[in-house]
Amino acid sequence: MFGIQQGDLPDRQDPQADRRSAVRALPFILVVGLVIKLAAILAWGHLSPDSETLKAWCVGLARHGAYGFLTGVEMPNIAPGTMHPLSALLTWPLGVIWRIFDPTFVHHASAGFSLWVRLPTLLAEIACCLLLFRLAA
């Protein structure tokens, strides 16, 4: 009935049955979460102030490098000394790669660029989910 067979149901006599069920469900949960996150970024990613700051850092670092960016050629939207180094290390290469396809950054306000800048965050969230699952198992 409903396409469920006896072998699909967890066997209470088998202590590993719950773990196998969770392992089979994990990819589905990750894909659904990723789709929801991507849809939210594409729909409302440009409304977030931190997203706009990351995009500005990405463009500024790609255009002027770290020294030119931090010395005021294109003033970053941050207080001096408060830029997170990891954000700079991640957004700089993303800006350089984006610049290959859009040399003048004409499309920096696009949803695609918002998604591109958020890519490291998305991958880190998936890695954290996998790590937590592994630790809990």
Side-chain angles (χ1 to χ4, degrees):
M1 187 165 138
F2 301 114
I4 298 175
Q5 300 173 355
Q6 183 63 29
D8 294 337
L9 299 173
D11 184 7
R12 293 295 160 204
Q13 303 299 325
D14 184 7
Q16 295 295 323
D18 289 335
R19 183 172 178 1
R20 283 193 303 271
S21 296
V23 168
R24 276 188 263 147
L26 182 66
F28 175 74
I29 293 168
L30 288 176
V31 167
V32 168
L34 183 63
V35 167
I36 291 170
K37 187 85 170 176
L38 290 174
I41 289 172
L42 291 175
W44 303 292
H46 62 283
L47 298 177
S48 171
D50 64 328
S51 180
E52 291 302 312
T53 301
L54 277 175
K55 287 169 35 174
W57 290 358
C58 188
V59 170
L61 285 165
R63 282 185 179 158
H64 307 291
Y67 181 76
F69 178 69
L70 294 173
T71 56
V73 171
E74 212 172 276
M75 194 61 185
N77 188 16
I78 55 171
T82 59
M83 182 175 190
H84 195 279
L86 185 59
S87 293
L89 288 174
L90 291 175
T91 57
W92 192 352
L94 289 174
V96 171
I97 293 170
W98 184 269
R99 192 175 189 180
I100 293 170
F101 303 105
D102 185 12
T104 59
F105 290 100
V106 173
H107 302 289
H108 74 279
S110 69
F113 190 63
S114 293
L115 183 61
W116 180 249
V117 171
R118 291 287 186 180
L119 186 64
T121 307
L122 292 172
L123 296 177
E125 287 173 356
I126 291 172
C128 286
C129 288
L130 290 172
L131 178 66
L132 288 173
F133 180 80
R134 181 75 175 155
L135 290 173

